[in-house]
């Protein structure tokens, strides 16, 4: 299939389509991850986005049954320099092209991903569409410019009903804003009894479950699109320990009076250095977000900054000065990515123990 990628800003890239033979559109973003494409494809935080892989060869170890981060992918498309047709790995069950056809996803290969990445870095995230090579460019560009930004990302990926992953340990309520399975795996590895609830769950409903702790998950899009979540956070703050990841981090900050802003091209990849201001140690982290917390806005709140990104000095973590609550912008569950920050789940367990002993 001859396909082309058309950007709202006017650039056109010709390539070869793979996966389902359908048109697809979304915001184009890039990730610097060298491996982990299966986890990236199934990460709910990529909802509504067309992802450009900066590493040139993708698909070389196929798709397997174990590395998914959600059951149904919510990304819009994938852009690669070279697609591997014959994967080689003992766990591989199908190639990337076959998986995309099965899921109705569209991708494009054979384009200059380095040039595309430079355009995104210069212009920021732009709307784009993967279409048949015969389509009129100007018509697509006009269509993209006229279309309003999509904001219902969290509503799209959050679970609609509560469900449990029962164990014998501490009872944790995981509020799903687009939660990756890696969070459930890490809590399960620590024997937590997990109840996953929709993003619309109220503080009263959460406290009725009598949890030992509340986890606020990652998720896609703009944190200001779910104002009801701020009331929920304020309602549980101080009554139960809270740990937030990515979207959860931004929502905790907003609920405590800070503000957020949109990054020019976001942080995506598995090689982002983050400094812990308390220990002066650096962790290499996995990240995937378009928005960040304004560090200056934290000064008039009860939150203290605990982590910063060394690439651009943006905020990467906070801790509440009074209540048992902390959060990070990056992904300690690291799927895919380094496991430097995995210890934060242990800190959450310790926080729940300390809070229980104070009662």
């Amino acid at each position: 299939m001859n396909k082309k990628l058309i950007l709202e800003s006017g650039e056109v890239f010709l390539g070869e389509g793979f996966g389902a033979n359908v048109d697809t559109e979304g915001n184009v973003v890039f990730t610097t991850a060298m491996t982990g494409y299966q986890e990236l494809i199934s990460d709910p935080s990529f909802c509504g986005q067309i992802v450009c892989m900066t590493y040139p060869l993708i698909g070389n170890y196929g798709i397997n049954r174990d590395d998914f981060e959600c059951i149904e992918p919510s990304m819009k498309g994938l852009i690669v320099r070279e697609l591997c047709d014959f994967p080689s790995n003992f766990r591989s069950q199908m190639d990337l092209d076959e998986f995309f056809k099965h899921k109705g996803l569209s991708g494009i290969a054979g384009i200059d991903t380095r040039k595309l990445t430079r355009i995104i870095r210069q212009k920021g995230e732009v709307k784009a569409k993967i279409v048949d090579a015969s389509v009129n460019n100007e018509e697509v560009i006009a269509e993209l410019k006229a279309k309003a930004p999509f904001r219902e990302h969290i509503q799209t990926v959050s679970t609609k009903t509560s469900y449990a992953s029962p164990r014998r340990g501490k009872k944790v309520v995981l509020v799903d804003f687009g939660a990756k399975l890696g969070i459930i795996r890490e809590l399960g590895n620590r024997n937590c009894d997990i109840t996953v609830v929709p993003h619309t769950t109220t503080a009263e409903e959460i406290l009725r479950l009598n949890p030992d702790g509340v986890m606020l998950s990652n998720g896609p899009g703009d944190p200001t699109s779910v104002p009801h979540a701020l009331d929920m956070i304020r309602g549980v703050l101080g009554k139960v320990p809270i740990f937030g990841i990515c979207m959860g981090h931004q929502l905790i900050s907003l609920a405590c009076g800070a503000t957020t802003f949109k990054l020019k091209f976001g942080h995506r990849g598995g090689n982002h250095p983050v400094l812990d201001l308390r220990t002066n140690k650096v962790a290499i982290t996995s990240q995937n977000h378009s928005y960040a917390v304004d560090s200056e806005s934290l000064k008039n709140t009860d939150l203290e900054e605990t982590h910063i990104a060394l690439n651009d000095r943006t905020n990467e973590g906070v801790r509440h000065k009074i209540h048992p609550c902390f959060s990070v912008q990056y992904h300690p569950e690291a799927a895919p990515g380094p496991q430097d920050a995995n210890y934060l789940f242990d800190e959450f367990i310790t926080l729940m123990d300390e809070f229980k002993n104070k009662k």
Side-chain angles (χ1 to χ4, degrees), residues 44-210:
S45 292
F46 280 121
C47 176
Q49 296 175 336
I50 301 174
V51 182
C52 173
M53 304 293 296
T54 58
Y55 190 72
L57 178 62
I58 300 298
N60 52 308
Y61 52 86
I63 297 288
N64 67 76
R65 69 173 191 174
D66 298 323
D67 292 341
F68 292 107
E69 286 302 308
C70 70
I71 296 174
E72 293 296 332
S74 55
M75 70 183 307
K76 289 296 186 179
L78 190 68
I79 304 164
V80 303
R81 179 71 183 94
E82 180 181 349
L83 179 69
C84 179
D85 296 324
F86 301 100
S88 177
N89 186 277
F90 72 98
R91 294 196 302 158
S92 178
Q93 296 173 303
M94 67 180 75
D95 61 32
L96 192 53
D97 177 56
E98 183 182 356
F99 176 73
F100 265 46
K101 286 176 180 174
H102 178 64
K103 294 297 183 180
L105 293 172
S106 177
I108 186 169
I111 74 166
D112 187 345
T113 51
R114 293 179 66 182
K115 179 179 180 180
L116 175 60
T117 300
R118 292 186 67 177
I119 290 172
I120 299 170
R121 285 180 61 89
Q122 292 166 1
K123 298 184 177 181
E125 295 180 18
V126 293
K127 290 185 291 219
K129 196 167 185 177
I130 298 174
V131 296
D132 187 87
S134 63
V135 171
N136 181 276
N137 296 343
E138 298 305 320
E139 290 180 1
V140 174
I141 293 170
E143 176 189 341
L144 290 170
K145 287 181 176 180
K147 187 158 292 188
F150 179 68
R151 285 177 57 85
E152 304 297 311
H153 297 96
I154 290 174
Q155 293 85 338
T156 300
V157 297
S158 176
T159 183
K160 302 300 184 288
T161 58
S162 300
Y163 62 93
S165 179
R167 287 175 177 80
R168 298 288 184 181
K170 290 178 173 54
K171 187 171 184 62
V172 175
V173 171
L174 172 59
V175 184
D176 179 13
F177 298 103
K180 295 165 64 178
L181 292 177
I183 296 176
I184 297 176
R185 281 193 293 266
E186 291 300 331
L187 292 172
N189 288 341
R190 291 157 178 81
N191 205 34
C192 291
D193 178 44
I194 308 160
T195 302
V196 183
V197 300
H199 70 96
T200 53
T201 307
T202 65
E204 291 75 17
E205 291 169 329
I206 290 174
L207 295 174
R208 205 172 296 136
L209 295 171
N210 195 26

Side-chain angles (χ1 to χ4, degrees), residues 221-272:
D222 185 347
T224 62
S225 67
V226 283
H228 54 272
L230 307 186
D231 293 330
M232 177 272 292
I233 293 168
R234 296 182 189 113
V236 300
L237 188 63
K239 299 174 184 176
V240 63
I242 304 173
F243 178 21
I245 293 175
C246 199
M247 176 60 69
H249 163 71
Q250 296 168 11
L251 292 173
I252 286 172
S253 300
L254 289 173
C256 292
T259 59
T260 57
F261 66 97
K262 195 174 191 301
L263 296 163
K264 187 174 182 180
F265 49 82
H267 295 175
R268 295 176 181 85
N271 55 357
H272 290 257

